[in-house]
């Protein structure tokens, strides 16, 4: 099992990165330091790790920085004697990538290139180091009614988001094959859980149900996604980082496919039960809207390799995960109000000014 002293997590103030940092500190035997390197875009919230910052003191350190800025990246890697990079930072929302692809090209492609170069420069030929790249199943394109994505499935990205992630995946592989950089990669299906900015399907719908807003269903509502509880993505990444074979890609997924409209019914039923709302009133909020351009029909992951080679299995069922998630949003309406307020963004900029 590989061990590290100082891990730099990029994008650790975002949804999956913050859950990953909390998971490693609270549920693994990791004894070193974690440096959270994050630009704090709209999706990055320093408050999401306030509990970890106060509980783990010097072992958790936050740096506000941009992965596409080479001097900022090089300084963080050098100053903290980093021996592993776990790379989450990205622009991650498909609808935003359709509206404004430029940030996706800059952060996801140029940012990954910048990190890879900085890692090479710092580490040289060292083999006791690791660059883990967190990616998505969306790089494989769209499936018909049958079949699942394997690690060997040909890349066929279709949105500006998935094309930028596919490009970053290729760069990571190239730096391994060409320069010998020790890498691992994971391509995961859709995540859900706490601390998810309310713009993606599950947190948006929960938030709209709790606040009585309409529920916008794209197209016919029959697009299929394979959902995984975020902590199970975190423990998969930890398994790959500590035990995965160098140079290998592992697919991660919930084996848990839902049509959007069926998933919405589960959310409506769970919110009605946990928040004491009227089922019929909640169902009335469903509104079919214009489809997303280029909307991928179906994603589904085959994660046999991760299960058999690394012994990974999800820790919660979908029913448990959805219940925990809805309860978390019920208990944390203040977090949602905070991260969506303009005042909060001003506070972030004032309190986390770049040095
Ligand atoms: P997110 O949008 O919630 O968080 C992204 C984080 O990256 C934010 O904290 C943001 O401030 C930071 N960031 C953005 N640009 C940056 C830059 N230039 N420099 C430094 N930090 C920057 O994203 P997420 O949902 O947590 O996704 C994390 C990673 O996992 C991404 O690489 C994404 O492609 C991948 N992924 C996500 C899902 C999913 O369902 N959300 C599924 C599979 C893979
Ligand atoms: P999303 O959470 O954006 O993830 P993905 O990266 O897989 O597109 O969307 C999940 C599915 O839900 C996708 O088929 C688009 C659909 N969707 C809606 O129908 N309404 C919405 O408001 C959103 C955000 C997504």
């Amino acid at each position: 099992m590989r061990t590290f002293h100082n891990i730099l997590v990029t994008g650790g103030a975002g949804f999956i990165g913050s859950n990953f940092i909390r998971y490693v500190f609270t549920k693994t035997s990791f004894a070193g330091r974690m440096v959270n390197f994050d630009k704090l875009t709209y999706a990055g919230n320093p408050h999401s790790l306030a509990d970890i910052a106060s509980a783990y003191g010097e072992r958790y350190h936050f740096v506000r920085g941009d992965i596409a800025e080479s001097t900022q990246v090089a300084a963080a890697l050098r100053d903290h004697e980093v021996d592993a990079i776990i790379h989450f930072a990205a622009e991650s929302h498909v609808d935003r990538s359709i509206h404004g692809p430029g940030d996706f090209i800059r952060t996801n492609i140029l940012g990954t290139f910048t990190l890879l170069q900085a890692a090479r420069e710092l580490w040289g030929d060292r083999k006791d180091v690791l660059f883990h790249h967190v990616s998505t199943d969306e790089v494989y394109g769209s499936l018909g009614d049958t079949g699942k994505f394997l690690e060997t499935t040909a890349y066929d990205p279709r949105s500006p988001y998935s094309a930028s992630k596919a490009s970053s995946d290729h760069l990571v592989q190239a730096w391994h094959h060409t320069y010998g950089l020790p890498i691992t990669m994971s391509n995961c299906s859709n995540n859900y859980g706490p601390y998810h900015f309310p713009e993606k399907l599950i947190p948006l719908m929960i938030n709209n149900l709790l606040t009585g807003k309409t529920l916008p269903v794209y197209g016919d509502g029959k697009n299929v996604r394979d959902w995984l509880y975020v902590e199970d993505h975190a423990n998969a990444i930890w398994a790959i980082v500590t035990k995965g074979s160098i140079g290998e890609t592992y697919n991660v997924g919930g084996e848990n496919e839902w049509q959007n409209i069926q998933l919405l019914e589960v959310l409506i039923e769970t919110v009605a039960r946990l928040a004491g709302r009227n089922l019929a009133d909640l169902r009335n909020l469903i509104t079919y809207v214009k489809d997303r351009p280029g909307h991928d029909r179906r994603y589904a992951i085959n994660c046999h390799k991760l299960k058999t080679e690394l012994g990974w299995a999800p820790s919660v069922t979908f029913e448990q995960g959805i219940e925990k998630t809805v309860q978390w949003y019920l208990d944390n309406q203040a977090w949602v109000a905070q991260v969506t307020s303009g005042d909060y963004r001003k506070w972030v900029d004032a309190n986390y000014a770049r040095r």
Side-chain angles (χ1 to χ4, degrees):
M1 181 150 158
R2 280 187 286 273
T3 53
F4 300 102
H5 300 290
N6 299 306
I7 298 178
L8 183 119
V9 172
T10 70
F15 166 48
I16 307 175
S18 63
N19 278 287
F20 175 78
I21 291 174
R22 178 172 297 99
Y23 170 79
V24 174
F25 274 122
T26 60
K27 301 213 173 153
T28 76
S29 57
F30 177 66
R33 285 184 89 218
M34 278 203 164
V35 178
N36 177 4
F37 185 92
D38 197 297
K39 184 178 177 181
L40 298 181
T41 67
Y42 78 95
N45 305 300
H47 278 115
S48 299
L49 284 168
D51 55 331
I52 298 298
S54 67
Y56 292 89
E58 283 296 296
R59 291 185 54 211
Y60 172 77
H61 185 77
F62 179 78
V63 176
R64 187 171 197 185
D66 182 341
I67 57 165
E69 293 290 340
S70 58
T71 48
Q72 293 175 19
V73 172
L77 292 180
R78 191 188 54 236
D79 292 353
H80 298 285
E81 298 177 13
V82 167
D83 54 2
I85 297 171
I86 306 183
H87 178 30
F88 292 88
E91 288 293 338
S92 67
H93 187 40
V94 172
D95 292 322
R96 282 182 190 255
S97 83
I98 295 167
H99 175 70
D103 286 345
F104 288 71
I105 304 305
R106 183 177 183 279
T107 288
N108 301 0
I109 304 178
L110 185 61
T112 301
F113 160 73
T114 306
L115 267 180
L116 288 165
Q117 284 291 75
R120 261 186 77 209
E121 277 159 28
L122 181 74
W123 291 338
D125 292 330
R126 277 176 68 178
K127 296 295 169 218
D128 61 336
V129 290
L130 183 72
F131 187 110
H132 179 81
H133 181 57
V134 179
S135 193
T136 167
D137 61 352
E138 301 189 26
V139 298
Y140 299 122
S142 182
L143 291 165
D145 289 341
T146 58
K148 292 190 176 193
F149 298 132
L150 281 160
E151 287 81 358
T152 48
T153 301
Y155 275 36
D156 185 21
R158 287 145 174 268
S159 72
Y161 164 65
S162 56
S164 68
K165 290 297 290 186
S167 175
S168 67
D169 291 10
H170 290 316
L171 291 175
V172 172
Q173 289 293 348
W175 261 241
H176 173 61
H177 287 288
T178 307
Y179 304 113
L181 186 72
I183 66 109
T184 46
M185 266 183 37
S186 49
N187 291 74
C188 188
S189 64
N190 291 59
N191 286 212
Y192 68 97
Y195 299 102
H196 204 178
F197 190 83
E199 66 179 355
K200 306 234 174 84
L201 181 71
I202 288 186
L204 177 93
M205 294 300 183
I206 294 174
N207 194 41
N208 286 10
L209 283 163
L210 292 176
T211 53
K213 294 194 194 115
T214 56
L215 310 170
V217 176
Y218 299 165
D220 65 2
K222 293 187 177 161
N223 298 65
V224 173
R225 297 293 183 264
D226 171 357
W227 293 95
L228 180 69
Y229 190 61
V230 65
E231 193 174 302
D232 286 325
H233 187 191
N235 67 39
I237 292 172
W238 190 244
I240 296 164
V241 164
T242 55
K243 299 186 290 188
S245 300
I246 296 299
E248 289 294 311
T249 292
Y250 295 85
N251 278 355
V252 187
E255 293 176 328
N256 177 43
E257 294 180 48
W258 289 86
Q259 285 186 346
N260 295 334
I261 193 68
Q262 291 172 336
L263 173 58
L264 194 49
E265 180 57 27
V266 174
L267 294 176
I268 288 171
E269 186 278 319
T270 311
V271 169
R273 188 162 41 81
L274 296 184
R277 305 287 171 86
N278 179 282
L279 210 50
D281 288 349
L282 295 183
R283 285 199 183 112
N284 276 337
L285 297 171
I286 294 175
T287 311
Y288 284 89
V289 298
K290 196 164 162 273
D291 208 357
R292 170 189 279 171
H295 196 173
D296 286 343
R297 192 64 174 168
R298 174 172 167 260
Y299 304 141
I301 280 273
N302 177 323
C303 53
H304 184 73
K305 178 174 172 182
L306 179 67
K307 287 185 155 175
T308 53
E309 290 186 16
L310 304 185
W312 175 84
S315 67
V316 297
T317 64
F318 186 58
E319 290 69 26
Q320 291 167 331
I322 285 292
E323 185 127 345
K324 277 163 167 293
T325 305
V326 170
Q327 192 61 51
W328 188 87
Y329 279 90
L330 263 173
D331 297 341
N332 290 276
Q333 282 291 287
W335 180 89
V336 175
Q338 185 181 52
V339 302
T340 49
S341 85
D343 282 351
Y344 180 68
R345 297 322 305 178
K346 282 188 206 138
W347 177 88
V348 166
D349 285 331
N351 283 273
Y352 292 88
R354 285 197 192 89
R355 277 177 293 156

